[in-house]
Amino acid sequence: MSDKPIRLLVADDHPVVRDGLSSLFAREAGFEVLGEAADGTEAVQLAECLRPDVVLMDLRMPGMDGVTAIRVLAERLNPARVLVLTTYDSDSHVLPAIEAGATGYLLKDAPRDELLRAVRAAARGEAVLAPSVAATLMGRVRAPAPGPLSERELEVLRLVAAGNTNREAAAGLFITEATVKSHLLNIYAKLGVNDRASAVAEAFHQGLLTKRP
């Protein structure tokens, strides 16, 4: 095993968090903190310049966020392993970070010893996941794939894409406004989106809707 210390870069927009993490690893044998970054842009710049072994990356930061920074480092073939350290463990945070190229994902309430082990594992290229994050990913894998949109859901979506309100769509289809809202919720779930505009955009992307000439 190499005697060289694990070289770290700490990226977090909160100075207190950066100071705390830097102090923690500075006190531990086998670690060297190379620098600190306050946002994603600075994290990418320092990672390119300092070439750390591991980047401790927060997700929500001003300017370039953590997920974008992870993706940029991966695109640039930067060898640093990225270990996400955040307070968020929902699907909408975990999946984009892992897909962008993060080696691991921990929460900020992780015990000190767990954090030290995670950084050592990440430096070796091993995947590290907080228990709640692992459960989130397992639940996503086990969840049945959403089915295709029904013909009625497509009719609703076409009217929405044409600029109709829920009330206008309901009148056009001779159904209640509540039924239109119910169809929209099903559409959002099947397309993996959260609002009307995103549903229309995703439907065009998937070829479910075609633009008129």
Side-chain angles (χ1 to χ4, degrees), residues 149 154 157 187 191 198-210:
L149 298 187
L154 284 172
L157 197 51
I187 291 168
L191 296 182
S198 298
V200 171
E202 181 62 22
F204 278 122
H205 177 71
Q206 294 188 20
L208 299 174
L209 297 177
T210 55

Side-chain angles (χ1 to χ4, degrees), residues 57-60 84-88 105-109:
M57 185 81 75
D58 190 19
L59 290 184
R60 288 195 173 181
V84 172
L85 189 61
T86 184
T87 56
Y88 307 99
Y105 197 113
L106 280 188
L107 302 182
K108 287 182 177 177
D109 60 0

Side-chain angles (χ1 to χ4, degrees), residues 69-146:
I70 295 169
R71 186 176 299 112
V72 171
L73 288 174
E75 290 171 350
R76 295 184 182 181
L77 302 180
N78 189 288
R81 311 288 186 177
V82 179
L83 179 59
V84 172
L85 189 61
T86 184
T87 56
Y88 307 99
D89 62 355
S90 65
D91 278 15
S92 61
H93 292 94
V94 174
L95 296 175
I98 298 299
E99 290 170 353
T103 298
Y105 197 113
L106 280 188
L107 302 182
K108 287 182 177 177
D109 60 0
R112 168 184 162 278
D113 289 345
E114 181 181 340
L115 179 56
L116 295 176
R117 285 195 301 270
V119 171
R120 293 189 183 102
R124 295 191 297 267
E126 299 172 7
V128 184
L129 298 174
S132 62
V133 172
T136 294
L137 292 176
M138 187 63 72
R140 174 56 69 98
V141 170
R142 290 175 174 171

Side-chain angles (χ1 to χ4, degrees), residues 4-25:
K4 291 182 179 179
I6 296 172
R7 304 163 77 234
L8 290 172
L9 173 63
V10 178
D12 196 292
D13 62 326
H14 294 290
V16 173
V17 175
R18 294 198 305 272
D19 290 346
L21 289 170
S22 295
S23 297
L24 186 157
F25 284 100

Side-chain angles (χ1 to χ4, degrees), residues 115-186:
L115 179 56
L116 295 176
R117 285 195 301 270
V119 171
R120 293 189 183 102
R124 295 191 297 267
E126 299 172 7
V128 184
L129 298 174
S132 62
V133 172
T136 294
L137 292 176
M138 187 63 72
R140 174 56 69 98
V141 170
R142 290 175 174 171
L149 298 187
S150 68
E151 185 55 40
R152 176 62 73 170
E153 288 165 352
L154 284 172
E155 289 175 341
V156 170
L157 197 51
R158 290 188 192 106
L159 289 172
V160 169
N164 290 276
T165 65
N166 289 355
R167 179 174 297 179
E168 291 167 342
L173 295 173
F174 301 102
I175 57 178
T176 67
E177 191 172 348
T179 300
V180 169
K181 291 179 181 178
S182 177
H183 283 313
L184 283 173
L185 290 177
N186 289 336

